[in-house]
Amino acid sequence: MSPLQLAGGTAWKVATAVLAGLVLVVGAGVGTGWWLAAAARDKAQVDLKAEQGVSAELRAGINDQNKAIMKLGEVQLAAEARGLAARQQAAAAGQRFDTALQRMDGARVTTCADAMPFVNQLLEDVR
């Protein structure tokens, strides 16, 4: 064999060894990348499940608050209606009292016995 053929054969062997090493390194890198990506995906899925649980709890809490607010609104409307009825009733009673007092206007009495018919009439008118 000539030195040129020997050098050419050695160059092919070296190139083959370098390429095999390069394929091995690239394959290991790709495998490691896939493994890391899969681990990150699995962790992200676990985190997503946890966040979905927290989100569901928050949504349920918000729904409970909304229901409580709606109930408070209904209670407030009922209280406002009762307040309006009480004000109307008080106004009517006030008008009856004013009318009864106007009827008594000018009444002058000096004794308790003289005043009793006016007091009884006032109580009847207010009732």
Side-chain angles (χ1 to χ4, degrees), residues 54-67:
V54 169
S55 177
E57 289 175 11
L58 290 174
R59 212 173 306 118
I62 290 170
N63 287 338
D64 289 345
Q65 286 178 345
N66 287 342
K67 288 177 186 174

Side-chain angles (χ1 to χ4, degrees), residues 76-88:
Q76 179 184 2
L77 289 176
E80 287 175 357
R82 286 191 311 270
L84 177 62
R87 283 191 299 277
Q88 290 172 344

Side-chain angles (χ1 to χ4, degrees), residues 2-125:
S2 74
L4 195 54
Q5 286 177 340
L6 187 58
T10 303
W12 277 109
K13 287 181 185 179
V14 169
T16 303
V18 168
L19 285 175
L22 185 61
V23 167
L24 183 64
V25 168
V26 169
V30 169
T32 301
W34 278 351
W35 178 76
L36 290 173
R41 181 202 62 220
D42 293 343
K43 182 176 179 342
Q45 286 176 338
V46 168
D47 291 346
L48 176 65
K49 293 283 186 198
E51 288 300 318
Q52 285 174 338
V54 169
S55 177
E57 289 175 11
L58 290 174
R59 212 173 306 118
I62 290 170
N63 287 338
D64 289 345
Q65 286 178 345
N66 287 342
K67 288 177 186 174
I69 289 170
M70 294 298 290
K71 183 66 175 171
L72 286 175
E74 293 169 5
V75 169
Q76 179 184 2
L77 289 176
E80 287 175 357
R82 286 191 311 270
L84 177 62
R87 283 191 299 277
Q88 290 172 344
Q89 186 178 12
Q95 287 176 346
R96 283 194 312 269
F97 186 69
D98 288 344
T99 303
L101 284 179
Q102 285 174 357
R103 288 186 194 158
M104 300 296 154
D105 193 27
R108 301 282 182 241
V109 294
T110 55
T111 66
C112 187
D114 293 341
M116 283 314 292
F118 292 109
V119 171
N120 288 337
Q121 183 61 42
L122 179 65
L123 292 174
E124 282 295 321
D125 289 345

